[in-house]
Amino acid sequence: MSDDTPRDNPIDTPPGPLSPENAVTTGSSASEEELDTDPDELPDHVAAQVLSAPATTPTGRRVPPLPRLIAVASQKGGVGKTTTSINLAAFLAELGHRVLVVDLDPQGNATTGLGFDRQSLEHDLYEVLMHDAPLMDVVRPTSVEGLFCAPSGTHLKDAELELVPAIGGEMRLRTAMAQAENEFDYVLIDCPPSFSLLTKNGLVAAKEVLIPVQCEYYALEGLVQLLDHVDEVRRYMNPALQVTTIVLVMYDGRTQLAQAVVEDVIQHFGDKVCRNKIPRTVKLAEAPSFGEPISVFAPSSRGAVAYKELAREVSGVA
Ligand SMILES: Nc1ncnc2c1ncn2[C@@H]1O[C@H](COP(=O)(O)OP(=O)(O)OP(=O)(O)O)[C@@H](O)[C@H]1O
Ligand SMILES: [Mg+2]
């Protein structure tokens, strides 16, 4: 077994004191009622999965009902938001779900990473946010069956400023998604590395927050601010918002530091931390330059196996 093979974590460790009020209030579990989704109402492939899915993950974490609207967020740059959005989405699609990646980042890395040329996009998210274009008008299929992208074009950076004086500037994505969310089982919103109005749009539109945490020194730095920000959005704009999922990324099991970070994160976040850690691998770093998720680029690589297992864990497949 290699060092980065997913291992059992001491996941039962009670949450620690990083920020008790945040850790607790942003993480309350979905209610029994919410989880009581009627599978007959769902497409066959999803119904089968709901029926076979446990109410909790192997770590005891509850699995919210579909559709799941998940903002992948961290104000820290380069922590694996886009890599996790693309590859988790691809494997959720492989499990038979209809999955949308919303590229809310003006850098457009999710868009290019899913194979689109940003310069030649006819329609993109800017039109949705600034000109009330229906979301489904900009959604494009990707090379992966069941995986779709709402791309970020070259004008999205203008939206950051233009949204400031706009009426309901923080609500634009939420309004657009309300017309489209039943088209998908999962919507992953790849947020930019800031607390900008674009990120706020993502948090207001989502029901869940997934935070990738790099297994490196300073891993927990900035998390208190992020949790505070989520808390604020929840209090004033989106009462349904919860931090449900922490994904440990760029894990190198050979270092004691990585193991120490894992233990620290588990101590603070308890069962929100996914058991499957994502290793640091060259193939995961290379895949975006080929415009392919790891499920297509290197399906049997360590990185692919890790994201595949993560998709099963996040979706509650036993
Ligand atoms: N598990 C991994 N192994 C190796 N490289 C990785 C891994 N995850 C991400 N990377 C690389 O690290 C860099 C940052 O990752 P990514 O773009 O996903 O982060 P991000 O949080 O979306 O960044 P930004 O804040 O700029 O949007 C990229 O070059 C990516 O290819
Ligand atoms: Mg990114």
Side-chain angles (χ1 to χ4, degrees):
M1 185 195 290
S2 70
D3 271 334
D4 47 45
T5 306
R7 304 165 179 184
D8 285 348
N9 287 326
I11 209 103
D12 290 329
T13 317
L18 169 70
S19 175
E21 62 282 16
N22 287 323
V24 173
T25 54
T26 56
S28 59
S29 301
S31 68
E32 293 288 346
E33 204 175 64
E34 275 178 317
L35 290 167
D36 195 16
T37 311
D38 180 4
D40 291 334
E41 303 278 319
L42 301 169
D44 286 350
H45 69 282
V46 180
Q49 198 171 329
V50 170
L51 286 169
S52 65
T56 57
T57 67
T59 61
R61 190 154 39 91
R62 286 186 174 276
V63 181
L66 301 177
R68 289 177 65 182
L69 313 178
I70 305 174
V72 180
S74 171
Q75 80 281 19
K76 288 173 96 173
V79 295
K81 294 182 288 296
T82 303
T83 305
T84 298
S85 299
I86 292 177
N87 295 313
L88 175 58
F91 281 112
L92 286 169
E94 201 173 85
L95 285 171
H97 293 291
R98 277 173 70 83
V99 185
L100 174 66
V101 173
V102 175
D103 189 354
L104 204 48
D105 187 346
Q107 297 178 100
N109 295 341
T111 302
T112 49
L114 285 170
F116 298 101
D117 172 13
R118 299 182 73 212
Q119 307 297 330
S120 59
L121 288 171
E122 274 180 45
H123 303 289
D124 79 283
L125 212 52
Y126 176 82
E127 293 159 50
V128 173
L129 297 177
M130 299 313 306
H131 298 309
D132 295 330
L135 184 62
M136 290 311 287
D137 282 6
V138 311
V139 167
R140 303 266 303 268
T142 70
S143 59
V144 176
E145 197 185 339
L147 177 60
F148 300 81
C149 177
S152 150
T154 50
H155 294 298
L156 191 60
K157 63 179 184 322
D158 302 332
E160 226 155 14
L161 283 180
E162 292 171 25
L163 278 170
V164 175
I167 293 172
E170 300 102 331
M171 307 289 293
R172 300 291 175 100
L173 182 62
R174 181 189 187 130
T175 306
M177 289 229 307
Q179 304 153 2
E181 68 184 40
N182 289 331
E183 301 283 334
F184 302 100
D185 304 316
Y186 285 84
V187 179
L188 300 189
I189 306 168
D190 185 25
C191 295
S194 64
F195 292 135
S196 67
L197 260 182
L198 286 170
T199 297
K200 205 170 276 178
N201 261 274
L203 294 175
V204 171
K207 289 186 184 151
E208 300 176 53
V209 184
L210 180 157
I211 306 173
V213 174
Q214 238 174 312
C215 295
E216 290 185 354
Y217 200 55
Y218 296 132
L220 294 178
E221 196 186 58
L223 275 179
V224 171
Q225 288 145 282
L226 177 56
L227 295 175
D228 277 346
H229 191 68
V230 170
D231 213 30
E232 209 170 1
V233 171
R234 189 168 54 77
R235 265 186 291 137
Y236 294 109
M237 310 206 66
N238 183 6
L241 191 65
Q242 299 174 6
V243 175
T244 56
T245 314
I246 308 287
V247 180
L248 293 159
V249 299
M250 304 194 209
Y251 178 75
D252 182 347
R254 292 167 302 184
T255 69
Q256 285 187 343
L257 174 63
Q259 197 47 44
V261 170
V262 169
E263 282 164 20
D264 239 19
V265 173
I266 290 170
Q267 203 192 1
H268 291 310
F269 290 99
D271 64 11
K272 291 179 191 39
V273 184
C274 290
R275 179 186 293 223
N276 290 286
K277 304 182 279 288
I278 306 302
R280 181 184 286 282
T281 75
V282 173
K283 287 270 189 286
L284 279 171
E286 283 176 348
S289 57
F290 290 84
E292 289 173 343
I294 197 73
S295 58
V296 175
F297 179 67
S300 52
S301 64
R302 286 188 299 130
V305 171
Y307 272 111
K308 186 176 193 161
E309 290 304 313
L310 181 71
R312 293 171 68 82
E313 181 175 356
V314 166
S315 63
V317 177

